[in-house]
Amino acid sequence: MKETSPLPPSPANACDAHLHLYDSALIAAPAHPNPLADCDARRYRTLREALGLRRAVVVTPAPHVDDNRVTLNAIQALGANDTRGIAVVFPDVTDADLQRLNAGGIRGVRYTIAIPKTAVTRIVTLPRLAPRLAALGWHAQLHMTPAQIVEHRDLLTALPCAIVFDHMARLADTDADHPAWDIVESLLRSGDTWVKLSGHYLARDAATARATAVRLAALAPERVLWGSDWPHPTEMPSPPDTRATVAALHDWLPDAALRQRALVDNPARLYGFA
């Protein structure tokens, strides 16, 4: 995981709104050798400084299931003023546990169903949990394929809480006229949906990733975010240079004012950074 490529400067208080941290004591049945074992807060702090970033949003990864200790610990290790977290919980989570997570810096719950073999939650349970997320001011962070977005259109449009789509809603995987585009565009216009310009290596190709990012940023410049997806778990054991993810954003959003929104202003509003 070499991090050596030069980077253009990022604005002050730039936020990496999507990364994962791991604790080898908690990862369930890791492969051997486990390439994620040393991807902890200490290592990410060094990378963050090299990338010229300040703020971060740590997302509990699939191997930890609903054990959010590594995320809560990372918020403290990276600085509670500049770090937030996205947890994984099940609908039977207690109100006391939600309040504890909220006090620890958690601001949303992730549903990852795009990759069935790593899915630990089911999207059909989200309507049971969503009113409780809304009451906390949290959002549902969704990693879904375009086909899944179409399949669950009614569920998504009826949610009482905010929505954040991971990895460009995976729209860079498909055609520009896929029916999922209409759903995502409608949700973005509703004013309570956000999208992360992340995971460009999951796209069909670089040109499609760029076109998708540009289109999404034009649709909702005030609700696009960016995340590195470090340490790029889907790409193991040969992850990309993380600097390439930053460089991609500068290519997609050459306008400095738009990058300011994606990297600073928008995450400050969504995650409550001062």
Side-chain angles (χ1 to χ4, degrees), residues 60-130:
T60 296
H64 290 322
V65 194
D66 64 336
D67 189 332
N68 297 290
R69 284 177 294 169
V70 67
T71 299
L72 292 170
N73 291 344
I75 291 170
Q76 297 304 313
L78 294 174
N81 289 337
D82 294 320
T83 315
R84 300 290 183 266
I86 304 299
V88 175
V89 302
F90 297 115
D92 60 355
V93 62
T94 67
D95 288 341
D97 279 341
L98 289 177
Q99 290 295 340
R100 177 180 59 83
L101 292 170
N102 189 64
I106 299 298
R107 294 298 179 264
V109 170
R110 194 186 197 205
Y111 276 70
T112 303
I113 66 170
I115 307 173
K117 68 179 181 179
T118 63
V120 298
T121 50
R122 296 183 302 127
I123 195 69
V124 293
T125 70
L126 179 52
R128 291 171 51 198
L129 189 60

Side-chain angles (χ1 to χ4, degrees), residues 91-217:
D92 60 355
V93 62
T94 67
D95 288 341
D97 279 341
L98 289 177
Q99 290 295 340
R100 177 180 59 83
L101 292 170
N102 189 64
I106 299 298
R107 294 298 179 264
V109 170
R110 194 186 197 205
Y111 276 70
T112 303
I113 66 170
I115 307 173
K117 68 179 181 179
T118 63
V120 298
T121 50
R122 296 183 302 127
I123 195 69
V124 293
T125 70
L126 179 52
R128 291 171 51 198
L129 189 60
R132 301 170 72 191
L133 304 185
L136 288 165
W138 289 11
H139 57 268
Q141 181 175 305
L142 308 178
H143 185 192
M144 306 175 70
T145 66
Q148 290 167 338
I149 290 171
V150 173
E151 178 184 359
H152 297 290
R153 175 177 191 157
D154 291 344
L155 182 155
L156 296 174
T157 56
L159 289 176
C161 63
I163 295 172
V164 177
F165 283 111
D166 280 357
H167 306 328
M168 298 187 275
R170 299 298 294 268
L171 291 167
D173 295 3
T174 192
D175 297 328
D177 60 354
H178 191 283
W181 267 107
D182 289 338
I183 299 169
V184 173
E185 287 185 10
S186 177
L187 287 167
L188 285 171
R189 292 193 189 101
S190 74
D192 215 12
T193 296
W194 308 63
V195 63
K196 293 184 180 181
L197 306 182
S198 58
H200 67 284
Y201 34 75
L202 300 172
R204 177 183 295 172
D205 52 52
T208 306
R210 187 182 194 282
T212 302
V214 169
R215 182 174 173 182
L216 289 168

